[in-house]
Amino acid sequence: MSRFDDAAVERALRLYRIVIPRTALAGRVGGITGSRAGGSLELHDFREYQPGDDVRQLDWNAVARTGQLIVRVRREEVSPRVEVVLDASRSMAITPAKANRALETATLLVRLAQLQGLEPALIVTRAQPERVRRPAPEEIRRVTFESALPLGESLRRSAVLQACGVRLIVSDFLFETPLDDLCLRLSHNAAFVGLVQIMDESDVTPESAAGATLVDSESEERLDRILNRRILETYKRRLAAHQAQLVASARRAHAAWCQGVAQEPFEAMLRKRLLGPVLEARS
Amino acid sequence: MSVGAPLGLLALLGVPALVALYFFRRRSAPRRVSAIFLWRSTEDLTQSGPRWQKLSREASLALEILATVAAALFLADARCSPSTGQQTHTVIVLDSGLSMQAHPGGAASIAEQATKLARERLDRAGGIATIIASGVKPHVLAGPAIPEQDAIAKLKDWVPSEPSHPFEPAWTLARELAGTSGRVLFITDALEKQVPKGIEVVALGQPLANVGFIGAYRADTATTTTLRLRVANFGPSAQTVAVHLTDATGKFSRDASVSVDAGGSAPFALDIPAVGELTATLPDDALAWDNRVVLGPERPKPVHLKIALPPDTITTDVVARFIASEEDIIVGGGSDLTFLPADAKEPPPWSILLGAPASDATPLRAFVGPFITVKSHPLLEDVSFNGLVWPAGANPAGTPLVTAGDRTLLSEERGPRFHLNLDLSRSNVARTTAWPVLLGNLVEMRRRTLPGFVRHNVAAGEEIAVTLGEGTWTLKGGGETRTLSTNLGMLTLRPGEYTLLNDGKDADAIHVNALDAGESDLRTRNSGTHDASERITSSALLAPNRSAWPLVLMLCALLADYALAAPGRRRLSQERA
């Protein structure tokens, strides 16, 4: 029986941090240089002195060279928002391992953001998506996967996404949505988007069976199938095509993508799958 | 609702099989998957949503059950109205030959046995039935296609009274009425060898000895009656048969005997003073109807003459001599035929104008030949013109029948009206045979047009010539009264005594006697059965007149089921491919 692995999350907090992109960010005033001019140490631009400017920002070298009062315009320091979007559709709980892995991943990302001084928000995609600012780990753990709506459909119902610095989506991405559109929507007004695809072992390599009634987790649509080798191969081919399309769509939207399997150990999954696209090791 | 082929209901066994298959399919464990679209084929992507798919299995089962029930109803030939069902249509052909009335040794007659068998078969078959009585002209005794109880009720009206006749017309009629799904049963007293396919034959007869009349003739004059009978012996040994004769009044009675060899026949002749209706009988034996003949007076119909000739002339005299020499001619009391002088104005129909009007332009001219005649005309039948001296005057009106030179000697006008251009005072015609033959032909022509029967004693099966005049004519006899059409001409009657009525008054009578050697001969009768060599059940499955609504219902259900379930099946077949 799979359980939420607190210890693994705790260990990961010490090992990883969320990748912060070099591109311009937006967010509340904080310790991260933003995209606008502000009070950080990083130079943003030069301009002529205007009354009211901080005289401490006069660049005397430039004054000497040009004979004009030139002030340094520095970048603002921001505390960027991090949105962790958790797909709460039923397919995410197709097995307890998959549900726990999704919760563990979301918890880790939220807590890493907090540790990095970012402004985390958890977005749970239900029939009406919920946005929780600075969610506590217990709140994340209480999320249930009961939505009959796929992630894309849920996000379309409400403008829950806001302009942010980092947007991380935890989902299995196994739904029939035009992936290009979805990835573009996810990357809109975000400096960095990471797609964390959590899949179950049964999603990747389904078991064969003499006959089965396949029931879709969200739609309850049923199909009678004899799960012989040929049909399973067909399924795998179609899954591979879907994955390839997802990766291509993510690339077109300048989003990072990584995939983890629920039955894989959490630490191994972080190390092998998420490290790089979404996480970076703490120095 | 009626069911023509109950065995077709066995197809309903498919319903529990379908239900069992349905539950067997339901037993396959449901397995939740994250992405069912990855399990669908490309075609599934075009199908309706999940709710439709969810409903499809139950709806498909219901439609398949409906299709199975419809197929069972089609195979069983279910019909809402039993009166039009063809599947259980039983057509019985009854041999209506006179021999069916034979009584074998005190048992029930063959006809009674046939009636009993027909009743049993109809009771057993149920459904609808048609009964055909065979004959020279087969007729539908019951039906066509009426409920079997109604047909059974009609059996009591059946009396086999037909002379020898072929059965093919009755068989053909029966097969046409039965169609491809009906059953045909032929009940007779002798097993037929050449029976068409699809007809079951049951013969109930048995070989019997029989003696009977096979011929009867009567002729009457005013004073005498001539009787000619022929008795046949259809037995194994020679017999001396007693013949009893009696008239209707009982005043005349005579017994005689006739010796007849085995298998042969012997005549019986009798000349007696004129009597009325005569009945000749033989002793009782296996067949009763050929032991009795009834013969009425057989005299020509009288022709009433009207003589309108000038008195005391040679013409009047020779006409009177002819009338005196002929029987069944009555002068006065009517004007069936009128004798007129040549110059008579507006002669009535059926008149003859005698005389040779001469003038200066066309003086009287005598001819001795050659005479040009219309030989086919009945008036000139057997008239010899040899040695005649024929003085003729001006040509009369009408179509020439006899000419000589440029003169018309005899002509016919519409009506008919005849012109005899002959001066009898200067001719030898009245002294030759041509004269009585010519006038005799004229009288017979008129007699044939008088209302009534030409012959008054005929055998069953003979065509009877009858002439009808003005008014309403009905024929009473044989247990019925029927109105005759004025242009009837010939008719065929069953054995019996018939009276012809004109406006309700007796006009004539005829006796129809059952005289048929073929039907009297019971030596070749036998019993047995002959199964229909063509089973109807096989063709019944493809009967074109089977009710089509179950088939339409089945096809609709199958199409609907296809619309529901076909995508899945196509996917499966593609995957298997």
Side-chain angles (χ1 to χ4, degrees):
Chain A
M1 185 70 183
S2 176
R3 287 184 179 179
F4 188 95
D5 194 347
D6 273 324
V9 174
E10 291 295 333
R11 285 194 294 275
L13 289 174
R14 295 193 292 270
L15 297 174
Y16 303 104
R17 51 180 293 159
I18 296 173
V19 171
I20 302 298
R22 294 289 180 188
T23 54
L25 298 175
R28 296 177 61 202
V29 175
I32 304 300
T33 51
S35 56
R36 294 175 296 190
S40 70
L41 294 177
E42 288 193 37
L43 183 62
H44 180 67
D45 203 356
F46 294 93
R47 64 172 170 80
E48 288 189 25
Y49 173 81
Q50 299 291 331
D53 284 344
D54 188 353
V55 294
R56 291 176 297 175
Q57 298 301 328
L58 284 169
D59 187 337
W60 293 111
N61 292 331
V63 171
R65 283 197 302 273
T66 63
Q68 294 179 342
L69 292 175
I70 301 297
V71 295
R72 296 189 189 93
V73 181
R74 299 184 184 278
R75 285 192 177 183
E76 67 171 343
E77 288 190 341
V78 297
S79 176
R81 284 190 292 268
V82 173
E83 289 182 341
V84 177
V85 181
L86 177 58
D87 182 358
S89 64
R90 292 177 193 152
S91 63
M92 293 301 291
I94 194 165
T95 62
K98 187 176 180 181
N100 286 326
R101 182 54 46 87
L103 294 175
E104 289 165 358
T105 306
T107 304
L108 174 67
L109 294 175
V110 168
R111 292 192 63 188
L112 283 176
Q114 287 173 336
L115 287 176
Q116 289 175 232
L118 308 179
E119 187 70 20
L122 178 69
I123 297 171
V124 182
T125 60
R126 296 199 173 96
Q128 282 300 322
E130 293 178 17
R131 183 183 184 90
V132 184
R133 288 181 57 194
R134 298 176 191 169
E138 292 75 20
E139 285 182 283
I140 301 174
R141 200 181 299 182
R142 282 198 296 271
V143 170
T144 55
F145 302 94
E146 295 173 339
S147 173
L149 292 179
L151 179 132
E153 181 66 23
S154 176
L155 292 178
R156 195 179 293 118
R157 292 196 171 190
S158 174
V160 69
L161 298 179
Q162 297 180 359
C164 65
V166 177
R167 186 173 292 146
L168 301 169
I169 297 95
V170 180
S171 171
D172 56 6
F173 292 98
L174 295 177
F175 38 75
E176 282 184 287
T177 300
L179 293 173
D180 280 346
D181 293 347
L182 177 66
C183 291
L184 287 174
R185 195 181 316 124
L186 291 173
S187 62
H188 182 65
N189 279 340
F192 173 75
V193 175
L195 308 182
V196 182
Q197 187 177 23
I198 304 296
M199 298 181 74
D200 192 74
E201 185 67 33
S202 62
D203 295 333
V204 182
T205 53
E207 293 178 359
S208 61
T213 300
L214 304 177
V215 183
D216 189 71
S217 302
E218 280 91 33
S219 67
E220 296 293 330
E221 179 185 348
R222 290 166 178 258
L223 279 180
D224 291 326
R225 283 291 181 271
I226 299 171
L227 302 183
N228 54 23
R229 186 173 56 85
R230 189 163 298 173
I231 289 185
L232 294 178
E233 287 175 356
T234 303
Y235 170 82
K236 287 177 182 175
R237 273 201 308 276
R238 295 177 62 82
L239 177 63
H242 178 79
Q243 293 292 94
Q245 190 178 356
L246 175 63
V247 172
S249 298
R251 189 175 295 126
R252 278 192 283 274
H254 304 289
W257 167 83
C258 59
Q259 180 203 45
V261 178
Q263 281 71 17
E264 196 175 12
F266 186 55
E267 285 147 336
M269 186 192 85
L270 296 178
R271 188 174 62 252
K272 293 179 184 175
R273 316 288 182 183
L274 274 66
L275 184 59
V278 177
L279 302 178
E280 58 187 9
R282 283 183 179 277
S283 56
Chain B
M1 177 179 284
S2 66
V3 175
L7 283 178
L9 294 176
L10 287 175
L12 288 175
L13 291 175
V15 174
L18 269 177
V19 174
L21 278 174
Y22 171 75
F23 283 108
F24 178 75
R25 287 171 64 194
R26 281 179 64 96
R27 283 173 58 193
S28 58
R31 177 187 290 191
R32 289 198 168 271
V33 294
S34 301
I36 199 137
F37 71 96
L38 294 176
W39 296 96
R40 287 200 303 251
S41 66
T42 311
E43 292 178 19
D44 291 327
L45 301 176
T46 64
Q47 298 302 313
S48 302
R51 187 171 300 171
W52 176 259
Q53 188 69 24
K54 191 175 178 180
L55 286 172
S56 66
R57 290 184 66 173
E58 286 76 12
S60 175
L61 173 68
L63 288 170
E64 286 166 7
I65 289 175
L66 180 63
T68 307
V69 172
L73 292 176
F74 178 72
L75 290 174
D77 192 15
R79 290 169 187 274
C80 294
S81 171
S83 61
T84 57
Q86 287 284 336
Q87 185 62 30
T88 56
H89 189 182
T90 304
V91 181
I92 294 181
V93 180
L94 296 170
D95 178 358
S96 293
L98 287 159
S99 63
M100 291 289 284
Q101 293 190 32
H103 277 265
S109 69
I110 306 299
E112 290 167 344
Q113 296 178 37
T115 304
K116 183 182 176 187
L117 175 65
R119 186 180 297 114
E120 289 173 356
R121 287 297 187 92
L122 291 177
D123 272 335
R124 193 192 316 162
I128 56 173
T130 301
I131 301 175
I132 296 171
S134 72
V136 178
K137 293 179 181 175
H139 69 279
V140 177
L141 190 69
I146 60 175
E148 96 280 2
Q149 290 303 325
D150 295 346
I152 289 172
K154 293 273 187 181
L155 280 172
K156 64 177 173 39
D157 299 334
W158 177 59
V159 178
S161 54
E162 292 281 341
S164 296
H165 59 274
F167 298 118
E168 280 78 5
W171 292 340
T172 304
L173 177 62
R175 286 166 65 86
E176 286 176 356
L177 290 176
T180 55
S181 61
R183 185 185 299 269
V184 180
L185 170 65
F186 176 50
I187 304 176
T188 182
D189 59 353
L191 207 55
E192 291 286 327
K193 292 181 179 177
Q194 301 293 329
V195 180
K197 289 182 177 179
I199 296 180
E200 180 187 0
V201 182
V202 177
L204 303 171
Q206 54 181 280
L208 297 169
N210 181 44
V211 174
F213 293 110
I214 61 169
Y217 168 79
R218 173 174 171 164
D220 288 271
T221 65
T223 56
T224 62
T225 295
T226 301
L227 189 65
R228 299 287 183 267
L229 301 173
R230 179 164 285 275
V231 181
N233 176 14
F234 300 105
S237 58
Q239 287 192 48
T240 299
V241 183
V243 179
H244 177 68
L245 290 165
T246 182
D247 71 346
T249 63
K251 293 178 181 175
F252 173 79
S253 178
R254 183 170 296 183
D255 291 306
S257 61
V258 180
S259 295
V260 193
D261 294 335
S265 63
F268 174 78
L270 188 68
D271 293 302
I272 54 175
V275 295
E277 185 180 279
L278 266 179
T279 303
T281 55
L282 294 174
D284 288 341
D285 55 13
L287 207 53
W289 56 261
D290 61 355
N291 294 333
R292 182 175 183 270
V293 292
V294 179
L295 299 168
E298 189 70 83
R299 293 200 62 180
K301 286 171 283 190
V303 177
H304 295 267
L305 300 185
K306 180 181 179 182
I307 310 298
L309 295 169
D312 303 328
T313 60
I314 291 176
T315 303
T316 308
D317 184 49
V318 297
V319 169
R321 287 208 306 264
F322 164 75
I323 293 170
S325 65
E326 285 288 318
E327 288 188 338
D328 304 311
I329 291 179
I330 301 171
V331 177
S335 56
D336 297 331
L337 186 60
T338 306
F339 285 80
L340 295 169
D343 55 355
K345 303 297 182 187
E346 298 181 357
W350 285 106
S351 59
I352 181 167
L353 288 81
L354 301 172
S359 64
D360 294 339
T362 53
L364 200 65
R365 185 179 170 189
F367 293 93
V368 294
F371 299 101
I372 310 301
T373 63
V374 180
K375 291 181 180 177
S376 61
H377 199 282
L379 186 61
L380 300 177
E381 191 174 338
D382 296 333
V383 175
S384 171
F385 289 86
N386 291 333
L388 296 183
V389 177
W390 195 304
N395 287 342
T399 305
L401 298 178
V402 180
T403 59
D406 59 348
R407 300 293 170 92
T408 297
L409 308 184
L410 180 61
S411 68
E412 179 184 12
E413 269 192 290
R414 188 182 296 272
R417 300 174 182 88
F418 297 98
H419 294 269
L420 188 62
N421 185 7
L422 173 64
D423 185 352
L424 286 166
S425 62
R426 299 183 183 187
S427 171
N428 65 347
V429 172
R431 298 190 295 273
T432 66
T433 57
W435 178 247
V437 172
L438 182 68
L439 291 189
N441 286 345
L442 179 62
V443 170
E444 286 306 314
M445 280 178 64
R446 181 66 180 111
R447 197 192 308 276
R448 282 198 289 271
T449 62
L450 294 176
F453 297 106
V454 176
R455 293 170 56 204
H456 299 85
N457 297 294
V458 296
E462 276 189 68
E463 286 195 326
I464 300 168
V466 60
T467 306
L468 305 177
E470 295 178 351
T472 303
W473 293 85
T474 53
L475 187 67
K476 185 178 180 183
E480 60 179 1
T481 301
R482 55 173 163 161
T483 303
L484 303 179
S485 170
T486 52
N487 56 0
L488 179 65
M490 309 291 278
L491 73 161
T492 307
L493 296 174
R494 291 158 60 179
E497 298 171 20
Y498 296 85
T499 304
L500 186 65
L501 304 172
N502 181 18
D503 293 333
K505 298 178 182 176
D506 286 4
D508 208 348
I510 190 170
H511 292 83
V512 182
N513 290 294
L515 302 167
D516 194 313
E519 293 296 313
S520 292
D521 188 359
L522 304 177
R523 294 172 297 177
T524 56
R525 310 294 157 170
N526 54 27
S527 61
T529 59
H530 178 77
D531 287 338
S533 54
E534 190 177 83
R535 301 310 304 168
I536 57 168
T537 48
S538 57
S539 60
L541 291 174
L542 300 173
N545 45 7
R546 172 183 294 266
S547 185
W549 66 265
L551 188 63
V552 173
L553 181 63
M554 181 184 73
L555 291 176
C556 290
L558 288 177
L559 285 174
D561 184 42
Y562 179 81
L564 270 177
R569 290 174 185 167
R570 282 207 299 272
R571 284 196 305 276
L572 193 59
S573 61
Q574 284 175 355
E575 289 160 5
R576 283 176 179 165

